[in-house]
Amino acid sequence: RTRVDVLEFNLNAKYQRVPYPLKIRQGRLYYSATEIDLSGMEGELGGFSFSDLAVRIDWSREPHLTVQSGEFRLFLDEIHPWLSSFEALPFIHSLKDTGINGTLLFSNLNLRGPLQSPKDWLVLASGKLREFVFDSNLFPGPIKVSDGDFNILEDTIRQELHFQETQISMLDTFLTVSGYLDDYRKGLDLAEINLKGDVNLEGTRWFSNLLHVPNEFMIRSPISVSESRFIWEKGVRTCFKGDLLLQSGPRISVDILKEPKSFVLKNLHVQDKDSQLSAKLILGTDTFSINFTGNVSEASIHRVFVRELPYLSELQGDFKANILFDQPKRSTTQGKLTGKDLIFPWGLKVPLRIGSFAIYGQEDQIKVDSAVCTWGECHGVLNGTLNFTETEYVFNMDFSSDALILDKLKRLFAVDPRDKETNRLWNAPVCGTIKLNLGTFIYDERFTWTPFHADISFHPEKVMVSVTNAELCGISTPGTLEWTTEGVSFDFRPIAERQEVDPTVKCLREGKVRATGLFDLKGHIMAKGKAEHLSESVQGKLEAFAKDGRIHHSIPLEKVFAYLSVIEIFRGQLPKMTEEGLAYKSITIRGDFQEGKFMLKEGVLDGLSMNMAAEGYYDLKNKKIKGALLVAPLKTADSVINKIPGINHIMAGTLVSIPVKIEGELSDPVVKVLPASSVGEGLWGMMKRTVELPFIILDSIFSNNGKNPEIDRE
């Protein structure tokens, strides 16, 4: 039952785990079997000093620590490196790589809790900061505090740091702030700050990034801030409410709330010599709401924002709209709004930019008058109405444009099955029709329609296109096209009458074929499936008839002629394509689309110097050909036939036809001679109907080394 009571003592000591000597100039000590109680102590430990310090350790149960001090002064540049080395002090340890300087003066410090568990201590403290500097990568520059009062409250549930009238500077920003930080041991979960002062260029940039403000909307500096409040809650919200006075003139009062899935402009007032407005805005996953009254001039916008805005130059009117995406019946609109260069970020991956426009609200309808729209690389003029019905938004619009490129438009509509938000918008209750009037429509960079007129019907799960007037390289292509979440389908009936061959083949084949003449064409082409495999499902029929022209350039024909030119009987009879061309009286093509291929059933050229018949197919996906041709120059082969014993007197005046095989890429096919026995009834019948003179098919032309060829059929 030992008891010690020391009424007064002084002490100098060193302890191996503490890098500084301890000096106690005065104090009182009480000791018993279960506790030690030190009180009235005054002294210093390295970088901090203390007075009226009381420390009590009670081990009657679990060892318990109680500390109470009157005044406690810390020189942070000395004490911070030591304290931050202790993992048992999580918050201080997390700042071990942070530069901290200055003086921390506690006017009151209370600490109590389990001796062996600092994380469970209750801490109550108040005091002042003097010439404090905090340099961390959390901020773009050192934070300097010249003077400020603070209060600390820590327990197992919360950690709060309150500060009042604190003079802070960072970069080129000078503010007086009050507020508090919450749960800073875990890296800061909440900050609520009242501020006033001046924010210059670098500070404006940092605050803009913190509020997720796009670079193009950064406000001009310097800015005088008054009566402002900033709230940041990690992963939950960012708020700013305050009054701003720009050196360039405008006064701005703003109240902003940014949450993960919404942006709310609770209130905005702007006033200067050219503009005066009041506005509210809500952009959410289910809501778009706007309330605008007043006018904004281009001059005022230039005074407010650093950059010249591509999204807004003028705005005026008195307009209200509340659009509930999934509740059309409850949506309302009223008033008139006109302007230029407005951005419309309605949950779109690529924003819709609207040039000069006029919008009229009439309760359950919005009327759009000549809105110049830009969406990605798509440009045009929009007119029409949007009506709010019981269950749907129904629009009826006209869209006109000089040109539209489908591949670029498809990227704007691309749906990732993992993107739940995009799929939700795809199923929104929106339907209606857009009458499309295009000067030019381009698909796959190879096919160009001029003009292109169509009606596009939008439904919750599909988009239907009815093409009414569209010419593809001089060929009219009326038909229908349908997009759904399952894939794409189309049904077109191309037709042409007495069209010139040359501009059409140049357009379709990009100059790879040159020919003249007039042609007729008709067909029926259909497909249905996934977009990436659509060419494999094409079905239908196509036939074309050309007359009275010349073929000046065709790689497959030139390959055939080059191959046959080595045969003696054709020497001097084949046309020189690059000079006079291959003149023809008619060309007939008939075929079917089957399983991603165009099957040529009948291909006949009735020429002035030769006839040809062909059959085979063209692979639409792999862009390869495979087929058989009969080539018959319109000149008798008496020089050959006279050398065939026994029948030379019978076959005099007969034409000779050579069967060849052509296969491979259109740009470089391979040509070989076929045995006559492989010529089917189809090819033989086509040639027989075309040639009015008797003809024979030669076989084994090269197997006899140029000697008498064999006659297979006549």
Side-chain angles (χ1 to χ4, degrees):
R1 297 185 179 181
T2 304
R3 171 179 171 177
V4 177
D5 195 351
V6 178
L7 300 181
E8 184 177 348
F9 72 90
N10 61 72
L11 175 69
N12 292 328
K14 291 184 179 180
Y15 178 45
Q16 188 175 12
R17 294 181 62 186
V18 180
Y20 310 108
L22 171 65
K23 296 181 180 181
I24 301 177
R25 289 185 291 273
Q26 66 179 38
R28 180 172 180 170
L29 180 147
Y30 172 80
Y31 170 81
S32 69
T34 59
E35 67 176 300
I36 183 168
D37 193 344
L38 299 159
S39 61
M41 291 188 292
E42 179 182 312
E44 60 263 353
L45 176 64
F48 65 88
S49 62
F50 50 87
S51 63
D52 199 19
L53 173 63
V55 178
R56 183 171 183 263
I57 301 175
D58 183 352
W59 57 87
S60 58
R61 296 180 181 176
E62 180 184 3
H64 193 274
L65 172 69
T66 302
V67 177
Q68 184 172 348
S69 174
E71 186 175 287
F72 208 99
R73 186 186 302 269
L74 279 77
F75 298 99
L76 295 173
D77 54 337
E78 294 184 24
I79 202 70
H80 170 255
W82 173 53
L83 292 180
S84 63
S85 66
F86 289 97
E87 295 184 6
L89 302 172
F91 173 61
I92 298 177
H93 181 69
S94 68
L95 301 176
K96 62 185 177 66
D97 296 323
T98 301
I100 297 179
N101 292 285
T103 302
L104 185 61
L105 177 60
F106 289 94
S107 57
N108 181 45
L109 173 62
N110 287 277
L111 183 154
R112 62 177 180 268
L115 180 64
Q116 302 295 332
S117 182
K119 66 183 179 63
D120 295 324
W121 291 352
L122 170 65
V123 180
L124 297 172
S126 59
K128 289 181 177 291
L129 279 175
R130 294 276 192 271
E131 302 302 326
F132 174 78
V133 179
F134 181 77
D135 191 0
S136 168
N137 57 14
L138 296 173
F139 301 94
I143 296 177
K144 300 178 181 179
V145 180
S146 58
D147 189 19
D149 297 332
F150 67 86
N151 293 281
I152 294 175
L153 169 60
E154 289 192 16
D155 58 23
T156 56
I157 299 175
R158 55 185 173 170
Q159 300 86 42
E160 295 182 4
L161 170 61
H162 295 257
F163 44 92
Q164 302 84 33
E165 296 298 314
T166 303
Q167 310 296 318
I168 291 180
S169 64
M170 182 183 70
L171 300 174
D172 53 2
T173 297
F174 304 90
L175 299 170
T176 300
V177 301
S178 299
Y180 80 95
L181 308 179
D182 187 27
D183 212 9
Y184 44 78
R185 282 187 180 180
K186 298 178 181 178
L188 191 60
D189 281 343
L190 175 66
E192 291 192 16
I193 302 172
N194 297 315
L195 61 152
K196 57 185 177 180
D198 297 318
V199 183
N200 291 291
L201 178 60
E202 295 299 326
T204 302
R205 287 177 178 169
W206 184 73
F207 278 113
S208 296
N209 290 334
L210 197 62
L211 290 168
H212 307 284
V213 176
N215 290 334
E216 55 265 33
F217 289 107
M218 194 174 79
I219 297 176
R220 285 187 181 277
S221 58
I223 304 169
S224 293
V225 182
S226 61
E227 304 301 325
S228 299
R229 184 173 180 81
F230 172 76
I231 300 175
W232 178 82
E233 191 172 358
K234 185 178 181 180
V236 177
R237 58 176 174 151
T238 303
C239 309
F240 179 78
K241 181 180 181 180
D243 298 327
L244 313 176
L245 175 61
L246 277 63
Q247 188 180 57
S248 54
R251 291 180 177 274
I252 302 174
S253 179
V254 64
D255 189 352
I256 298 172
L257 170 62
K258 174 68 176 68
E259 295 178 324
K261 293 186 178 182
S262 67
F263 174 85
V264 180
L265 178 62
K266 294 183 177 180
N267 215 338
L268 173 66
H269 292 282
V270 179
Q271 184 174 358
D272 72 353
K273 62 182 180 179
D274 296 311
S275 303
Q276 183 171 347
L277 71 91
S278 176
K280 297 178 181 180
L281 177 69
I282 299 175
L283 295 174
T285 55
D286 297 314
T287 304
F288 171 75
S289 179
I290 185 171
N291 189 330
F292 179 92
T293 302
N295 73 289
V296 181
S297 72
E298 187 172 1
S300 297
I301 293 171
H302 181 69
R303 295 188 195 107
V304 173
F305 298 105
V306 173
R307 300 184 182 183
E308 183 177 348
L309 290 187
Y311 307 137
L312 181 64
S313 60
E314 290 182 15
L315 198 61
Q316 60 183 355
D318 186 355
F319 183 79
K320 298 178 182 178
N322 185 34
I323 309 298
L324 305 176
F325 297 153
D326 54 355
Q327 300 181 61
K329 183 181 179 180
R330 294 180 56 195
S331 299
T332 59
T333 181
Q334 178 183 344
K336 177 183 177 181
L337 188 65
T338 62
K340 294 181 180 179
D341 305 321
L342 178 69
I343 186 171
F344 186 65
W346 174 14
L348 303 174
K349 294 182 180 298
V350 177
L352 172 64
R353 302 173 184 176
I354 305 175
S356 58
F357 66 92
I359 298 175
Y360 303 89
Q362 301 171 357
E363 294 185 356
D364 59 354
Q365 182 189 83
I366 294 178
K367 181 181 178 182
V368 180
D369 187 11
S370 300
V372 180
C373 302
T374 300
W375 191 18
E377 298 183 44
C378 304
H379 313 275
V381 179
L382 188 68
N383 292 277
T385 60
L386 175 65
N387 295 281
F388 314 148
T389 68
E390 289 285 328
T391 58
E392 295 176 318
Y393 293 98
V394 181
F395 58 85
N396 189 358
M397 299 284 182
D398 293 337
F399 182 79
S400 301
S401 177
D402 292 335
L404 197 63
I405 302 174
L406 181 62
D407 287 348
K408 295 179 179 179
L409 186 63
K410 282 165 60 180
R411 286 195 287 269
L412 300 177
F413 280 105
V415 176
D416 186 341
R418 297 167 296 181
D419 190 340
K420 296 180 180 179
E421 195 60 36
T422 303
N423 283 317
R424 189 195 64 77
L425 289 173
W426 177 268
N427 293 320
V430 178
C431 65
T433 301
I434 295 179
K435 292 186 178 298
L436 201 62
N437 298 292
L438 306 178
T440 300
F441 177 59
I442 300 174
Y443 171 73
D444 196 25
E445 298 183 354
R446 296 184 302 143
F447 303 113
T448 301
W449 282 262
T450 305
F452 186 89
H453 298 164
D455 294 338
I456 307 178
S457 300
F458 291 83
H459 303 273
E461 295 183 353
K462 64 181 178 181
V463 178
M464 297 182 65
V465 181
S466 177
V467 181
T468 55
N469 181 18
E471 289 196 4
L472 171 64
C473 303
I475 302 171
S476 178
T477 56
T480 59
L481 179 66
E482 182 177 297
W483 274 289
T484 70
T485 54
E486 301 299 322
V488 184
S489 64
F490 65 76
D491 187 326
F492 287 98
R493 296 178 182 270
I495 187 171
E497 294 181 358
R498 297 189 60 78
Q499 292 292 319
E500 292 188 11
V501 172
D502 188 52
T504 298
V505 295
K506 281 182 179 178
C507 177
L508 290 175
R509 298 290 297 138
E510 299 178 342
K512 297 175 182 177
V513 176
R514 294 196 302 274
T516 62
L518 298 176
F519 76 97
D520 296 335
L521 178 144
K522 64 178 180 179
H524 185 192
I525 305 173
M526 302 167 290
K528 184 176 182 179
K530 295 291 185 181
E532 60 271 22
H533 304 298
L534 199 61
S535 62
E536 300 172 11
S537 64
V538 175
Q539 295 180 339
K541 297 180 179 294
L542 185 71
E543 60 180 49
F545 179 78
K547 65 177 183 178
D548 302 330
R550 288 179 180 270
I551 301 174
H552 293 281
H553 175 54
S554 170
I555 292 177
L557 285 181
E558 291 169 9
K559 281 277 189 176
V560 170
F561 293 164
Y563 187 82
L564 295 180
S565 64
V566 300
I567 303 174
E568 182 178 354
I569 60 172
F570 284 160
R571 189 167 297 160
Q573 300 182 38
L574 299 172
K576 297 179 180 179
M577 298 281 286
T578 57
E579 296 179 9
E580 73 271 15
L582 173 60
Y584 66 86
K585 292 182 289 185
S586 68
I587 298 176
T588 301
I589 296 174
R590 291 187 177 91
D592 299 333
F593 291 95
Q594 300 175 9
E595 298 179 350
K597 297 176 182 178
F598 176 67
M599 311 298 295
L600 180 62
K601 303 296 185 181
E602 180 181 353
V604 177
L605 182 146
D606 185 1
L608 297 181
S609 61
M610 70 166 45
N611 289 341
M612 283 189 288
E615 62 181 7
Y617 67 81
Y618 173 63
D619 190 324
L620 301 175
K621 181 180 179 180
N622 299 312
K623 300 179 181 180
K624 292 184 178 182
I625 59 172
K626 183 176 182 180
L629 286 81
L630 277 178
V631 182
L634 298 180
K635 182 177 180 181
T636 60
D638 292 345
S639 59
V640 175
I641 292 174
N642 287 336
K643 299 176 182 179
I644 303 176
I647 62 169
N648 50 6
H649 62 286
I650 300 174
M651 301 297 295
T654 298
L655 302 180
V656 171
S657 179
I658 302 296
V660 296
K661 174 184 177 183
I662 184 168
E663 184 176 9
E665 303 283 347
L666 270 176
S667 58
D668 189 23
V670 176
V671 179
K672 295 181 179 179
V673 170
L674 282 173
S677 58
S678 65
V679 176
E681 294 294 333
L683 268 182
W684 186 81
M686 281 185 265
M687 185 63 75
K688 185 176 181 180
R689 291 191 297 271
T690 304
V691 178
E692 296 179 355
L693 295 174
F695 71 93
I696 60 173
I697 299 175
L698 297 187
D699 196 5
S700 305
I701 293 177
F702 298 114
S703 61
N704 292 328
N705 298 318
K707 297 181 180 180
N708 296 345
E710 299 176 9
I711 299 174
D712 184 80
R713 178 184 289 165
E714 64 174 287

